[in-house]
Structure formats: structure tokens, C-alpha cells
């Protein structure tokens, strides 16, 4: 029983981070119909900014205050998104999807080199925060308390996104724009403002994912590409453009990954890709996606 609890918590930990990345990716696509290949690098950018901020202040501030620096990564990713959308992406909305894929892939390469230029090739760490919260004992296993914080943040983000999209006036405008942009514009909705806010919010979610994971894993150059690949597995399963699909897909991937690591570690990634392939064969638009 104790082992089962640990496995469930580990699956929820991975699913929480995946939802933050994939949820932002699905939100951007659902509103703007852009597959943002640079999304993983915004996740990495949030991780690097948070790790850098904590490292700058670790010798000056008490550990408790350092936790207040983690959201800086999310704010930085959102600020970068607010600049990129009107300047780089907006001219490509009316062009074929191939142009959008090319420009976001180019942005991925630029951001990867920017991270290397700013912080060098070496990993950054904020492990002081991970160690400060200690751990709890579950049977014979010691489980870090910080992981419970990550799970709580993921749950709060899922609830907050649901409330924001379905229970606010802005959420109504957001859904109207995603369903029929021209009709929403004819009704007086400022579509350009909705686009920039949606893109900024999606980048903010990716930045949160990077910020909360950096105390336990650190910030490394390849983390953005790895996160993007797994986020696409999630949205393929759940349905690109669906927040509900991103949540369900993240939970499924988290559970299957934990089972794979436990029982079939040699084929862990193959099982995830196989699951995505089966979903594509049965429901090409994903579990919650629309054709």
C-alpha cells in the first residue's frame, strides 16, 4: 500500500508539470490555431530565470524568502511571449501552417542559443529550496515534501484555468474568438488583444512549469526540447486545443510513464508513443479534440 501511494504521487508529480506545459500549448492552439514549436523553450526560459534569481540571492536572503523568487521565471516567460506575439507571430496568422511551423521552429533555435549565450552550457540549480522543505516517510520510502508542492501547484493551475476560461467574461470572449474569429470581431471583440493575452497566458503556464521543477531537477539546455516532445504526446492523446484533454492526457501519460519505469524501464518511451499512436488510429483528433 505504501509503495502504491509513492507511485501515485510520482505519477501526479509528472502529470502536474506536463499539464502546465501542454495546457499552455493547447490554449495557444485553441485560440490562435498556431502550433508553437518554441513552447518548450519558454518552459526552459522560465526554469533558467528562476534558477538564476535564486542563485543570485541565495547568500543574501533566508531560504523562506527565496521561494518568492520562483514565480519570476513564469513572469519572464509571459513577458517574452507578450513581445513575441505581436512582433513575430502576428504577420503569419493568415499564411499557411507551414510558415507558422517554420517561424516557431526558428524561434526554438534562437531561444536555445539565447539560453546558452546568457547562462552558458552548464546547468543551473536551485536545490536549496528542494532541501529546505525536507521529506516525509511513507512506509519504508522517504518522499520529498517539495514534490507535494509541485502537485498542489498543478492542481491549482488546472482549477484556475477552468475557472478563468469558463467562469469569467474574458473566458467567454476567449472561447468566442476560438470558435469564430470573424464573428467575434464583428461583435466588437478586440481579437488582437485576445490573441496577445492568450499567448501570454500560455507562455506563463509554461514558465510556471519550468519555475517549479527547477529546484528538483535544475535547469539544463536540452530540457525545453524534451518537454516539448512529451507535451505533444499529451496533446495528441487529449486533443490539441482542449484544456480538458491536456489534463486527462497529462494524467494518462504520468500514470503510464510511472508504470513503465517500474515494470518495463527499457521501453518506457516506446509505450508512451505507442499509446499516442493508438489514440490517433481510433480518434485522430484526440480524446477531447474536435475534427
Amino acid at each position: 500500500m505504501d509503495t502504491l501511494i509513492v507511485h501515485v504521487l510520482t505519477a501526479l508529480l509528472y502529470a502536474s508539470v506536463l499539464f502546465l506545459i501542454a495546457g499552455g500549448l493547447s490554449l495557444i492552439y485553441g485560440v490562435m490555431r498556431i502550433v508553437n514549436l518554441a513552447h518548450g523553450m519558454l518552459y526552459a526560459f522560465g526554469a533558467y530565470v528562476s534558477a538564476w534569481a535564486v542563485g543570485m540571492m541565495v547568500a543574501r536572503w533566508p531560504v523562506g524568502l527565496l521561494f518568492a523568487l520562483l514565480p519570476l521565471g513564469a513572469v519572464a516567460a509571459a513577458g517574452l511571449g507578450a513581445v513575441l506575439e505581436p512582433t513575430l507571430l502576428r504577420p503569419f496568422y493568415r499564411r499557411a501552417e507551414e510558415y507558422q511551423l517554420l517561424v516557431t521552429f526558428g524561434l526554438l533555435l534562437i531561444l536555445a542559443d539565447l539560453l546558452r549565450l546568457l547562462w552558458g552550457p552548464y546547468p543551473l540549480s536551485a536545490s536549496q529550496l528542494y532541501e529546505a522543505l525536507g521529506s516525509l516517510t511513507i512506509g519504508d520510502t522517504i518522499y520529498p515534501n517539495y514534490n507535494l508542492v509541485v502537485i498542489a501547484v498543478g492542481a491549482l493551475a488546472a482549477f484556475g484555468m477552468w475557472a478563468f476560461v469558463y467562469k469569467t467574461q474574458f473566458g467567454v470572449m476567449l472561447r468566442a474568438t476560438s470558435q469564430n474569429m470573424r464573428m467575434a470581431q464583428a461583435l466588437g471583440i478586440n481579437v488582437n488583444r485576445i490573441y496577445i493575452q492568450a499567448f501570454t497566458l500560455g507562455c506563463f503556464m509554461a514558465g510556471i512549469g519550468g519555475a517549479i521543477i527547477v529546484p528538483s531537477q535544475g535547469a539544463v539546455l536540452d530540457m525545453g526540447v524534451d518537454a516539448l516532445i512529451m507535451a505533444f504526446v499529451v496533446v495528441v492523446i487529449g486533443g490539441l486545443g482542449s484544456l480538458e484533454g491536456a489534463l486527462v492526457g497529462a494524467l494518462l501519460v504520468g500514470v503510464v510513464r510511472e508504470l513503465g519505469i517500474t515494470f518495463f524501464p527499457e521501453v518506457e518511451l516506446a509505450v508512451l508513443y505507442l499509446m499516442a499512436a493508438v489514440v490517433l488510429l481510433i480518434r485522430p483528433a484526440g480524446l477531447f479534440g474536435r475534427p
Side-chain angles (χ1 to χ4, degrees), residues 88-174:
L88 186 62
L89 297 180
R90 191 170 294 176
F92 292 92
Y93 289 162
R94 299 184 182 276
R95 297 193 180 185
E97 292 181 355
E98 293 82 1
Y99 291 96
Q100 300 171 7
L101 292 174
L102 284 173
V103 73
T104 55
F105 180 72
L107 182 59
L108 181 153
L109 299 178
I110 292 171
L111 291 177
D113 284 343
L114 179 64
L115 294 180
R116 184 183 295 272
L117 175 66
L118 293 176
W119 289 290
Y122 305 107
L124 297 184
S125 174
S127 58
Q128 298 85 352
L129 305 182
Y130 185 77
E131 298 166 358
L133 293 183
S135 57
L136 55 87
T137 302
I138 303 175
D140 297 329
T141 305
I142 296 176
Y143 194 81
N145 288 327
Y146 185 81
N147 290 356
L148 300 177
V149 174
V150 176
I151 295 172
V153 171
L156 288 174
F159 176 78
M161 284 300 298
W162 171 81
F164 184 74
V165 173
Y166 293 103
K167 298 296 181 181
T168 65
Q169 183 179 4
F170 177 76
V172 173
M173 294 189 292
L174 194 72

Side-chain angles (χ1 to χ4, degrees), residues 35-55:
V35 180
N36 183 17
L37 295 181
H39 198 73
M41 281 303 160
L42 293 164
Y43 159 81
F45 183 69
Y48 266 94
V49 170
S50 293
W52 170 77
V54 171

Side-chain angles (χ1 to χ4, degrees), residues 68-270:
L69 297 176
L70 284 182
L72 289 179
V75 174
L80 183 59
V83 173
L84 291 175
E85 191 278 331
T87 57
L88 186 62
L89 297 180
R90 191 170 294 176
F92 292 92
Y93 289 162
R94 299 184 182 276
R95 297 193 180 185
E97 292 181 355
E98 293 82 1
Y99 291 96
Q100 300 171 7
L101 292 174
L102 284 173
V103 73
T104 55
F105 180 72
L107 182 59
L108 181 153
L109 299 178
I110 292 171
L111 291 177
D113 284 343
L114 179 64
L115 294 180
R116 184 183 295 272
L117 175 66
L118 293 176
W119 289 290
Y122 305 107
L124 297 184
S125 174
S127 58
Q128 298 85 352
L129 305 182
Y130 185 77
E131 298 166 358
L133 293 183
S135 57
L136 55 87
T137 302
I138 303 175
D140 297 329
T141 305
I142 296 176
Y143 194 81
N145 288 327
Y146 185 81
N147 290 356
L148 300 177
V149 174
V150 176
I151 295 172
V153 171
L156 288 174
F159 176 78
M161 284 300 298
W162 171 81
F164 184 74
V165 173
Y166 293 103
K167 298 296 181 181
T168 65
Q169 183 179 4
F170 177 76
V172 173
M173 294 189 292
L174 194 72
R175 285 180 283 132
T177 303
S178 68
Q179 293 172 10
N180 194 322
M181 182 268 290
R182 291 183 178 178
M183 181 62 72
Q185 196 168 28
L187 292 173
I189 295 176
N190 189 334
V191 172
N192 287 336
R193 188 176 67 181
I194 295 295
Y195 277 179
I196 192 172
Q197 289 172 336
F199 192 80
T200 301
L201 181 58
C203 295
F204 182 78
M205 289 184 66
I208 290 178
I212 64 172
I213 203 63
V214 75
S216 58
Q217 296 186 5
V220 295
L221 289 176
D222 293 334
M223 66 186 297
V225 176
D226 296 338
L228 179 67
I229 293 172
M230 294 313 302
F232 270 115
V233 172
V234 169
V235 297
V236 163
I237 294 172
L240 191 56
S242 169
L243 288 177
E244 297 89 346
L247 178 59
V248 173
L251 290 172
L252 288 174
V253 169
V255 171
V256 172
R257 177 181 180 270
E258 183 61 21
L259 291 174
I261 291 175
T262 304
F263 299 106
F264 310 103
E266 298 85 359
V267 293
E268 169 217 341
L269 287 177

